[in-house]
Amino acid sequence: VREIAASASPLALWAAVALFLLAAMAADRLRRGRLLRSARPLVASEWRREVEQLGGSVELFTSSEVDVPVTWGLARPVLLLPPAAEEWSASLRRHVLLHELAHVERCDAAVLGLARLACALHWFNPLAWWALRRLVTEAELAADDQVLLAGARPSSYAGDLVDFARRLRRPLPR
């Protein structure tokens, strides 16, 4: 490996790593497409009624392939929920929707996509990766803030998050 790295030009090395990271981004996009094709529309009227009350615009689906709510898309945002979501309490349902709709309103998918693209092109720069990690953290905190600004009691929201985490089939990545 050292010989290959030593004989490769810096530009070839940069291009190889950048292409690998871009391919990983493309694979992630394909995976989301497969997830959506295998998902089923969420027909629970409580969820749809709550989205309308909150003034959100998101297509709701469920999939056994996810353990946590996942939102993506700009023109036609999608919220993919685990099947158990149909039995969630009204409080948890509202908190999840407020959080995920905040991501949609803030266009977090686009911002984080651009940040990942910047990391693919500047893979050698640790500050690019640090900035991406901070953007992800700040996007989550901003979405949490929207839940609290909408009137959720912090103790109620925290309790819902803890209960939710306890029900996960797999632990969340650190």
Side-chain angles (χ1 to χ4, degrees), residues 23-40 61-66 72 78 80:
M25 288 176 63
D28 185 52
R29 187 175 180 102
L30 290 172
R31 186 181 66 79
R32 284 192 311 252
R34 276 194 306 275
L35 268 175
L36 190 55
R37 282 189 298 280
S38 68
R40 66 178 181 81
F61 293 89
T62 63
S63 172
S64 59
E65 299 294 316
V66 297
W72 71 81
V78 169
L80 189 60

PDB file of all heavy atoms in Angstrom, residues 23-40 61-66 72 78 80:
ATOM      1  N   ALA A  23     -19.071   8.110  -4.496  1.00  0.00           N
ATOM      2  CA  ALA A  23     -19.791   6.858  -4.750  1.00  0.00           C
ATOM      3  C   ALA A  23     -20.585   6.435  -3.516  1.00  0.00           C
ATOM      4  O   ALA A  23     -21.713   5.931  -3.637  1.00  0.00           O
ATOM      5  CB  ALA A  23     -18.810   5.760  -5.154  1.00  0.00           C
ATOM      6  N   ALA A  24     -20.028   6.646  -2.336  1.00  0.00           N
ATOM      7  CA  ALA A  24     -20.748   6.324  -1.102  1.00  0.00           C
ATOM      8  C   ALA A  24     -21.993   7.204  -0.971  1.00  0.00           C
ATOM      9  O   ALA A  24     -23.055   6.732  -0.543  1.00  0.00           O
ATOM     10  CB  ALA A  24     -19.836   6.501   0.110  1.00  0.00           C
ATOM     11  N   MET A  25     -21.885   8.474  -1.362  1.00  0.00           N
ATOM     12  CA  MET A  25     -23.051   9.366  -1.333  1.00  0.00           C
ATOM     13  C   MET A  25     -24.117   8.883  -2.313  1.00  0.00           C
ATOM     14  O   MET A  25     -25.305   8.880  -1.998  1.00  0.00           O
ATOM     15  CB  MET A  25     -22.634  10.801  -1.668  1.00  0.00           C
ATOM     16  CG  MET A  25     -21.852  11.499  -0.580  1.00  0.00           C
ATOM     17  SD  MET A  25     -21.276  13.142  -1.077  1.00  0.00           S
ATOM     18  CE  MET A  25     -22.829  13.995  -1.329  1.00  0.00           C
ATOM     19  N   ALA A  26     -23.689   8.470  -3.491  1.00  0.00           N
ATOM     20  CA  ALA A  26     -24.629   7.968  -4.498  1.00  0.00           C
ATOM     21  C   ALA A  26     -25.296   6.682  -4.002  1.00  0.00           C
ATOM     22  O   ALA A  26     -26.503   6.485  -4.194  1.00  0.00           O
ATOM     23  CB  ALA A  26     -23.916   7.730  -5.823  1.00  0.00           C
ATOM     24  N   ALA A  27     -24.528   5.815  -3.373  1.00  0.00           N
ATOM     25  CA  ALA A  27     -25.088   4.569  -2.838  1.00  0.00           C
ATOM     26  C   ALA A  27     -26.122   4.866  -1.754  1.00  0.00           C
ATOM     27  O   ALA A  27     -27.165   4.201  -1.677  1.00  0.00           O
ATOM     28  CB  ALA A  27     -23.979   3.681  -2.286  1.00  0.00           C
ATOM     29  N   ASP A  28     -25.858   5.880  -0.934  1.00  0.00           N
ATOM     30  CA  ASP A  28     -26.811   6.261   0.103  1.00  0.00           C
ATOM     31  C   ASP A  28     -28.106   6.764  -0.523  1.00  0.00           C
ATOM     32  O   ASP A  28     -29.200   6.438  -0.071  1.00  0.00           O
ATOM     33  CB  ASP A  28     -26.210   7.337   1.012  1.00  0.00           C
ATOM     34  CG  ASP A  28     -27.119   7.678   2.166  1.00  0.00           C
ATOM     35  OD1 ASP A  28     -27.547   6.751   2.878  1.00  0.00           O
ATOM     36  OD2 ASP A  28     -27.408   8.876   2.357  1.00  0.00           O
ATOM     37  N   ARG A  29     -27.990   7.520  -1.589  1.00  0.00           N
ATOM     38  CA  ARG A  29     -29.185   8.013  -2.290  1.00  0.00           C
ATOM     39  C   ARG A  29     -29.986   6.853  -2.879  1.00  0.00           C
ATOM     40  O   ARG A  29     -31.216   6.827  -2.804  1.00  0.00           O
ATOM     41  CB  ARG A  29     -28.761   8.998  -3.368  1.00  0.00           C
ATOM     42  CG  ARG A  29     -29.911   9.686  -4.033  1.00  0.00           C
ATOM     43  CD  ARG A  29     -29.411  10.741  -5.001  1.00  0.00           C
ATOM     44  NE  ARG A  29     -30.494  11.402  -5.630  1.00  0.00           N
ATOM     45  CZ  ARG A  29     -30.933  12.604  -5.304  1.00  0.00           C
ATOM     46  NH1 ARG A  29     -30.343  13.268  -4.350  1.00  0.00           N
ATOM     47  NH2 ARG A  29     -31.947  13.146  -5.943  1.00  0.00           N
ATOM     48  N   LEU A  30     -29.293   5.886  -3.467  1.00  0.00           N
ATOM     49  CA  LEU A  30     -29.966   4.700  -4.005  1.00  0.00           C
ATOM     50  C   LEU A  30     -30.645   3.902  -2.897  1.00  0.00           C
ATOM     51  O   LEU A  30     -31.755   3.393  -3.070  1.00  0.00           O
ATOM     52  CB  LEU A  30     -28.974   3.815  -4.762  1.00  0.00           C
ATOM     53  CG  LEU A  30     -28.444   4.376  -6.081  1.00  0.00           C
ATOM     54  CD1 LEU A  30     -27.330   3.483  -6.631  1.00  0.00           C
ATOM     55  CD2 LEU A  30     -29.564   4.528  -7.086  1.00  0.00           C
ATOM     56  N   ARG A  31     -29.981   3.798  -1.754  1.00  0.00           N
ATOM     57  CA  ARG A  31     -30.549   3.079  -0.617  1.00  0.00           C
ATOM     58  C   ARG A  31     -31.834   3.745  -0.149  1.00  0.00           C
ATOM     59  O   ARG A  31     -32.829   3.072   0.143  1.00  0.00           O
ATOM     60  CB  ARG A  31     -29.539   3.012   0.533  1.00  0.00           C
ATOM     61  CG  ARG A  31     -30.005   2.152   1.709  1.00  0.00           C
ATOM     62  CD  ARG A  31     -28.986   2.119   2.835  1.00  0.00           C
ATOM     63  NE  ARG A  31     -28.811   3.398   3.468  1.00  0.00           N
ATOM     64  CZ  ARG A  31     -29.642   3.929   4.380  1.00  0.00           C
ATOM     65  NH1 ARG A  31     -30.712   3.271   4.743  1.00  0.00           N
ATOM     66  NH2 ARG A  31     -29.396   5.096   4.915  1.00  0.00           N
ATOM     67  N   ARG A  32     -31.850   5.068  -0.094  1.00  0.00           N
ATOM     68  CA  ARG A  32     -33.073   5.779   0.296  1.00  0.00           C
ATOM     69  C   ARG A  32     -34.185   5.528  -0.716  1.00  0.00           C
ATOM     70  O   ARG A  32     -35.350   5.362  -0.336  1.00  0.00           O
ATOM     71  CB  ARG A  32     -32.798   7.274   0.441  1.00  0.00           C
ATOM     72  CG  ARG A  32     -32.060   7.616   1.708  1.00  0.00           C
ATOM     73  CD  ARG A  32     -32.062   9.109   1.959  1.00  0.00           C
ATOM     74  NE  ARG A  32     -31.673   9.880   0.809  1.00  0.00           N
ATOM     75  CZ  ARG A  32     -30.528  10.522   0.655  1.00  0.00           C
ATOM     76  NH1 ARG A  32     -29.644  10.494   1.613  1.00  0.00           N
ATOM     77  NH2 ARG A  32     -30.265  11.201  -0.424  1.00  0.00           N
ATOM     78  N   GLY A  33     -33.839   5.479  -1.997  1.00  0.00           N
ATOM     79  CA  GLY A  33     -34.836   5.178  -3.017  1.00  0.00           C
ATOM     80  C   GLY A  33     -35.413   3.784  -2.843  1.00  0.00           C
ATOM     81  O   GLY A  33     -36.628   3.583  -2.963  1.00  0.00           O
ATOM     82  N   ARG A  34     -34.555   2.804  -2.556  1.00  0.00           N
ATOM     83  CA  ARG A  34     -35.026   1.436  -2.304  1.00  0.00           C
ATOM     84  C   ARG A  34     -35.906   1.385  -1.060  1.00  0.00           C
ATOM     85  O   ARG A  34     -36.929   0.704  -1.042  1.00  0.00           O
ATOM     86  CB  ARG A  34     -33.841   0.480  -2.146  1.00  0.00           C
ATOM     87  CG  ARG A  34     -33.296  -0.029  -3.461  1.00  0.00           C
ATOM     88  CD  ARG A  34     -32.372  -1.216  -3.268  1.00  0.00           C
ATOM     89  NE  ARG A  34     -31.285  -0.988  -2.334  1.00  0.00           N
ATOM     90  CZ  ARG A  34     -30.121  -0.428  -2.633  1.00  0.00           C
ATOM     91  NH1 ARG A  34     -29.883  -0.031  -3.878  1.00  0.00           N
ATOM     92  NH2 ARG A  34     -29.198  -0.265  -1.726  1.00  0.00           N
ATOM     93  N   LEU A  35     -35.488   2.106  -0.023  1.00  0.00           N
ATOM     94  CA  LEU A  35     -36.295   2.159   1.195  1.00  0.00           C
ATOM     95  C   LEU A  35     -37.691   2.682   0.899  1.00  0.00           C
ATOM     96  O   LEU A  35     -38.689   2.125   1.359  1.00  0.00           O
ATOM     97  CB  LEU A  35     -35.640   3.087   2.228  1.00  0.00           C
ATOM     98  CG  LEU A  35     -34.697   2.489   3.239  1.00  0.00           C
ATOM     99  CD1 LEU A  35     -34.061   3.587   4.083  1.00  0.00           C
ATOM    100  CD2 LEU A  35     -35.379   1.478   4.111  1.00  0.00           C
ATOM    101  N   LEU A  36     -37.754   3.737   0.109  1.00  0.00           N
ATOM    102  CA  LEU A  36     -39.042   4.348  -0.200  1.00  0.00           C
ATOM    103  C   LEU A  36     -39.907   3.430  -1.062  1.00  0.00           C
ATOM    104  O   LEU A  36     -41.113   3.329  -0.846  1.00  0.00           O
ATOM    105  CB  LEU A  36     -38.837   5.697  -0.885  1.00  0.00           C
ATOM    106  CG  LEU A  36     -40.079   6.553  -1.048  1.00  0.00           C
ATOM    107  CD1 LEU A  36     -40.772   6.779   0.287  1.00  0.00           C
ATOM    108  CD2 LEU A  36     -39.720   7.869  -1.691  1.00  0.00           C
ATOM    109  N   ARG A  37     -39.292   2.744  -2.022  1.00  0.00           N
ATOM    110  CA  ARG A  37     -40.065   1.833  -2.881  1.00  0.00           C
ATOM    111  C   ARG A  37     -40.646   0.660  -2.085  1.00  0.00           C
ATOM    112  O   ARG A  37     -41.717   0.159  -2.403  1.00  0.00           O
ATOM    113  CB  ARG A  37     -39.207   1.321  -4.030  1.00  0.00           C
ATOM    114  CG  ARG A  37     -39.054   2.348  -5.152  1.00  0.00           C
ATOM    115  CD  ARG A  37     -38.393   1.753  -6.371  1.00  0.00           C
ATOM    116  NE  ARG A  37     -37.039   1.272  -6.152  1.00  0.00           N
ATOM    117  CZ  ARG A  37     -35.952   2.034  -6.110  1.00  0.00           C
ATOM    118  NH1 ARG A  37     -36.055   3.339  -6.268  1.00  0.00           N
ATOM    119  NH2 ARG A  37     -34.763   1.513  -5.915  1.00  0.00           N
ATOM    120  N   SER A  38     -39.938   0.222  -1.042  1.00  0.00           N
ATOM    121  CA  SER A  38     -40.429  -0.901  -0.240  1.00  0.00           C
ATOM    122  C   SER A  38     -41.309  -0.449   0.926  1.00  0.00           C
ATOM    123  O   SER A  38     -41.923  -1.279   1.583  1.00  0.00           O
ATOM    124  CB  SER A  38     -39.248  -1.724   0.292  1.00  0.00           C
ATOM    125  OG  SER A  38     -38.520  -0.974   1.239  1.00  0.00           O
ATOM    126  N   ALA A  39     -41.378   0.854   1.168  1.00  0.00           N
ATOM    127  CA  ALA A  39     -42.188   1.374   2.273  1.00  0.00           C
ATOM    128  C   ALA A  39     -43.652   1.396   1.872  1.00  0.00           C
ATOM    129  O   ALA A  39     -43.996   1.362   0.695  1.00  0.00           O
ATOM    130  CB  ALA A  39     -41.718   2.780   2.632  1.00  0.00           C
ATOM    131  N   ARG A  40     -44.504   1.488   2.867  1.00  0.00           N
ATOM    132  CA  ARG A  40     -45.932   1.618   2.585  1.00  0.00           C
ATOM    133  C   ARG A  40     -46.409   2.969   3.095  1.00  0.00           C
ATOM    134  O   ARG A  40     -45.922   3.456   4.112  1.00  0.00           O
ATOM    135  CB  ARG A  40     -46.726   0.471   3.174  1.00  0.00           C
ATOM    136  CG  ARG A  40     -46.749   0.393   4.676  1.00  0.00           C
ATOM    137  CD  ARG A  40     -47.628  -0.765   5.167  1.00  0.00           C
ATOM    138  NE  ARG A  40     -47.650  -0.815   6.611  1.00  0.00           N
ATOM    139  CZ  ARG A  40     -48.422  -0.053   7.374  1.00  0.00           C
ATOM    140  NH1 ARG A  40     -49.234   0.818   6.843  1.00  0.00           N
ATOM    141  NH2 ARG A  40     -48.377  -0.156   8.698  1.00  0.00           N
ATOM    142  N   PHE A  61     -44.605   7.677   5.289  1.00  0.00           N
ATOM    143  CA  PHE A  61     -44.459   6.254   4.967  1.00  0.00           C
ATOM    144  C   PHE A  61     -43.961   5.518   6.194  1.00  0.00           C
ATOM    145  O   PHE A  61     -43.366   6.113   7.092  1.00  0.00           O
ATOM    146  CB  PHE A  61     -43.436   6.055   3.834  1.00  0.00           C
ATOM    147  CG  PHE A  61     -43.867   6.595   2.517  1.00  0.00           C
ATOM    148  CD1 PHE A  61     -43.590   7.914   2.172  1.00  0.00           C
ATOM    149  CD2 PHE A  61     -44.548   5.803   1.612  1.00  0.00           C
ATOM    150  CE1 PHE A  61     -43.987   8.428   0.945  1.00  0.00           C
ATOM    151  CE2 PHE A  61     -44.951   6.304   0.389  1.00  0.00           C
ATOM    152  CZ  PHE A  61     -44.665   7.617   0.057  1.00  0.00           C
ATOM    153  N   THR A  62     -44.189   4.202   6.209  1.00  0.00           N
ATOM    154  CA  THR A  62     -43.600   3.353   7.248  1.00  0.00           C
ATOM    155  C   THR A  62     -42.776   2.264   6.575  1.00  0.00           C
ATOM    156  O   THR A  62     -43.075   1.841   5.461  1.00  0.00           O
ATOM    157  CB  THR A  62     -44.666   2.701   8.153  1.00  0.00           C
ATOM    158  OG1 THR A  62     -45.484   1.848   7.365  1.00  0.00           O
ATOM    159  CG2 THR A  62     -45.497   3.733   8.872  1.00  0.00           C
ATOM    160  N   SER A  63     -41.753   1.832   7.305  1.00  0.00           N
ATOM    161  CA  SER A  63     -40.898   0.763   6.814  1.00  0.00           C
ATOM    162  C   SER A  63     -40.279   0.035   7.999  1.00  0.00           C
ATOM    163  O   SER A  63     -39.809   0.673   8.952  1.00  0.00           O
ATOM    164  CB  SER A  63     -39.777   1.327   5.931  1.00  0.00           C
ATOM    165  OG  SER A  63     -38.849   0.307   5.614  1.00  0.00           O
ATOM    166  N   SER A  64     -40.277  -1.281   7.911  1.00  0.00           N
ATOM    167  CA  SER A  64     -39.633  -2.074   8.963  1.00  0.00           C
ATOM    168  C   SER A  64     -38.114  -1.982   8.878  1.00  0.00           C
ATOM    169  O   SER A  64     -37.413  -2.494   9.741  1.00  0.00           O
ATOM    170  CB  SER A  64     -40.081  -3.533   8.866  1.00  0.00           C
ATOM    171  OG  SER A  64     -39.738  -4.051   7.597  1.00  0.00           O
ATOM    172  N   GLU A  65     -37.620  -1.292   7.859  1.00  0.00           N
ATOM    173  CA  GLU A  65     -36.175  -1.138   7.684  1.00  0.00           C
ATOM    174  C   GLU A  65     -35.594  -0.003   8.528  1.00  0.00           C
ATOM    175  O   GLU A  65     -34.379   0.158   8.580  1.00  0.00           O
ATOM    176  CB  GLU A  65     -35.853  -0.866   6.214  1.00  0.00           C
ATOM    177  CG  GLU A  65     -36.264  -1.972   5.275  1.00  0.00           C
ATOM    178  CD  GLU A  65     -35.485  -3.248   5.511  1.00  0.00           C
ATOM    179  OE1 GLU A  65     -34.254  -3.178   5.681  1.00  0.00           O
ATOM    180  OE2 GLU A  65     -36.115  -4.318   5.534  1.00  0.00           O
ATOM    181  N   VAL A  66     -36.450   0.799   9.159  1.00  0.00           N
ATOM    182  CA  VAL A  66     -35.949   1.911   9.975  1.00  0.00           C
ATOM    183  C   VAL A  66     -36.419   1.754  11.414  1.00  0.00           C
ATOM    184  O   VAL A  66     -37.508   1.231  11.669  1.00  0.00           O
ATOM    185  CB  VAL A  66     -36.375   3.290   9.415  1.00  0.00           C
ATOM    186  CG1 VAL A  66     -35.795   3.527   8.040  1.00  0.00           C
ATOM    187  CG2 VAL A  66     -37.882   3.451   9.408  1.00  0.00           C
ATOM    188  N   TRP A  72     -36.100  13.175   4.396  1.00  0.00           N
ATOM    189  CA  TRP A  72     -35.224  13.628   3.325  1.00  0.00           C
ATOM    190  C   TRP A  72     -36.079  14.223   2.218  1.00  0.00           C
ATOM    191  O   TRP A  72     -37.285  14.067   2.189  1.00  0.00           O
ATOM    192  CB  TRP A  72     -34.312  12.515   2.807  1.00  0.00           C
ATOM    193  CG  TRP A  72     -34.985  11.441   2.022  1.00  0.00           C
ATOM    194  CD1 TRP A  72     -35.333  11.487   0.698  1.00  0.00           C
ATOM    195  CD2 TRP A  72     -35.409  10.155   2.473  1.00  0.00           C
ATOM    196  NE1 TRP A  72     -35.931  10.315   0.311  1.00  0.00           N
ATOM    197  CE2 TRP A  72     -35.992   9.474   1.381  1.00  0.00           C
ATOM    198  CE3 TRP A  72     -35.349   9.514   3.704  1.00  0.00           C
ATOM    199  CZ2 TRP A  72     -36.500   8.200   1.482  1.00  0.00           C
ATOM    200  CZ3 TRP A  72     -35.868   8.234   3.793  1.00  0.00           C
ATOM    201  CH2 TRP A  72     -36.425   7.595   2.693  1.00  0.00           C
ATOM    202  N   VAL A  78     -40.077  13.574   2.375  1.00  0.00           N
ATOM    203  CA  VAL A  78     -40.583  12.285   2.820  1.00  0.00           C
ATOM    204  C   VAL A  78     -40.224  12.109   4.290  1.00  0.00           C
ATOM    205  O   VAL A  78     -39.115  12.451   4.702  1.00  0.00           O
ATOM    206  CB  VAL A  78     -39.931  11.149   1.999  1.00  0.00           C
ATOM    207  CG1 VAL A  78     -40.212   9.794   2.603  1.00  0.00           C
ATOM    208  CG2 VAL A  78     -40.382  11.211   0.554  1.00  0.00           C
ATOM    209  N   LEU A  80     -40.108   8.958   6.785  1.00  0.00           N
ATOM    210  CA  LEU A  80     -40.192   7.505   6.891  1.00  0.00           C
ATOM    211  C   LEU A  80     -40.154   7.138   8.365  1.00  0.00           C
ATOM    212  O   LEU A  80     -39.238   7.549   9.091  1.00  0.00           O
ATOM    213  CB  LEU A  80     -39.026   6.862   6.135  1.00  0.00           C
ATOM    214  CG  LEU A  80     -39.040   5.364   5.944  1.00  0.00           C
ATOM    215  CD1 LEU A  80     -40.277   4.921   5.173  1.00  0.00           C
ATOM    216  CD2 LEU A  80     -37.780   4.923   5.213  1.00  0.00           C
TER     217      LEU A  80
END
